[in-house]
Amino acid sequence: MTIVMHEHPGWTFNDGIWLRAFSSGTEFVATVVGNSWQACGSASLQPQVIELTSIPPSVPVSLRGSLTTIGAVVRWRTPDLWDALATAIIRQVIRADQARILHHRFRTAHGRPVDSHHGVVHLMPDAATVANLPADAFTSLGMSFKRRPLQAAAAAVLEQGGKWCDLPPAQLVEELQTVPRVGPWTAGATVADFTHDWTLYPHGDLAVRKWAATAAPDIAWPEKENAFAARWRHLAGDQLGPLTLFTLAWGAHHGGSS
């Protein structure tokens, strides 16, 4: 089984089709129907096909059994650092379904429209636009609590974005945390989305904990975020990135959002 992921809140579901607009020098719309996908643009804008080449023996048998039902995970990375950072900020401390709603509102209200055969899809509004939005633009969308972190991040990207894009992923995680209200979770989620280096994803994240427990209910997983993350890193070994992504993909598929 191959799972095509569209857990990112930039995806929109329209008449049985998942749509997402991307921008990286050129603009295009990717479409997903079930586990089939179509993409346009350059090779750098194609989805990445990721395989879990081996599962360390330290991984519980029940989790191993769940994840081996997945042959490959197909996922588009977010090619624009600002888009990845803004998305992670919108996702902060709210449920995934609420993040998707706010993301869609924000894009539709202030983002650039991109035409497709299946309708118009909006990009994340660029950093310059967000930096200059008045307070009531956020209030009217029910996003007043996101205004300060989004505008601080927009100002930082406008100033530092060119330099940041050239940094190694681990260093980028550190640099992003110099932005007000961007902590380890937001920085790690941003860089994983931007680079597809899933070793940097916050492994104590609620979604990882939830789906690990669902996929392997016989295991007494640590309930605390830091304790879970430490155990997850230990059992994953050199497959930390793929194991994390496959667990999220398994959860998205079984949770109805893949």
Side-chain angles (χ1 to χ4, degrees):
M1 176 177 62
T2 296
I3 293 179
V4 184
M5 291 186 72
H6 38 70
E7 88 300 342
H8 189 286
W11 289 94
T12 299
F13 192 65
N14 182 25
D15 196 24
I17 301 173
W18 287 96
L19 307 168
R20 184 179 171 195
F22 292 83
S23 178
S24 180
T26 59
E27 298 173 352
F28 80 102
V29 174
T31 62
V32 175
V33 180
N35 280 325
S36 300
W37 72 91
Q38 180 178 0
C40 305
S42 67
S44 64
L45 297 177
Q46 300 302 310
Q48 186 171 349
V49 181
I50 303 162
E51 297 180 345
L52 186 59
T53 56
S54 65
I55 300 180
S58 53
V59 172
V61 172
S62 51
L63 180 59
R64 181 193 302 267
S66 294
L67 298 187
T68 52
T69 63
I70 305 172
V73 171
V74 177
R75 189 184 186 277
W76 278 264
R77 75 177 188 89
T78 298
D80 176 58
L81 177 59
W82 157 249
D83 186 346
L85 178 56
T87 295
I89 290 170
I90 290 173
R91 290 178 57 203
Q92 288 174 342
V93 301
I94 60 175
R95 300 188 315 273
D97 56 347
Q98 183 65 13
R100 192 179 292 275
I101 291 169
L102 294 184
H103 200 281
H104 184 266
R105 285 179 188 169
F106 198 50
R107 287 185 286 110
T108 303
H110 302 292
R112 194 163 63 251
V114 182
D115 290 324
S116 79
H117 293 302
H118 304 286
V120 174
V121 189
H122 291 79
L123 293 162
M124 172 67 69
D126 61 37
T129 297
V130 173
N132 291 291
L133 286 175
D136 61 5
F138 294 90
T139 303
S140 65
L141 299 175
M143 295 180 63
S144 57
F145 66 115
K146 298 292 184 181
R147 179 176 69 86
R148 292 185 186 277
L150 280 171
Q151 291 194 313
V157 167
L158 290 171
E159 181 179 352
Q160 302 285 343
K163 180 189 77 172
W164 282 348
C165 288
D166 294 330
L167 294 176
Q171 188 176 347
L172 179 56
V173 172
E174 297 301 319
E175 284 290 320
L176 290 177
Q177 292 179 67
T178 64
V179 179
R181 304 196 185 190
V182 172
W185 185 95
T186 304
T190 297
V191 177
D193 185 26
F194 178 59
T195 67
H196 260 175
D197 184 347
W198 290 85
T199 63
L200 299 171
Y201 190 77
H203 304 108
D205 177 52
L206 177 60
V208 182
R209 303 199 312 269
K210 174 182 177 180
W211 296 124
T214 305
D218 58 314
I219 304 301
W221 297 100
E223 295 182 4
K224 299 294 185 180
E225 181 175 344
N226 290 341
F228 178 92
R231 183 171 183 188
W232 191 255
R233 288 191 296 269
H234 172 73
L235 65 85
D238 62 2
Q239 292 294 304
L240 177 59
L243 188 72
T244 301
L245 181 61
F246 267 58
T247 300
L248 292 171
W250 185 93
H253 179 73
H254 287 80
S257 62
S258 71

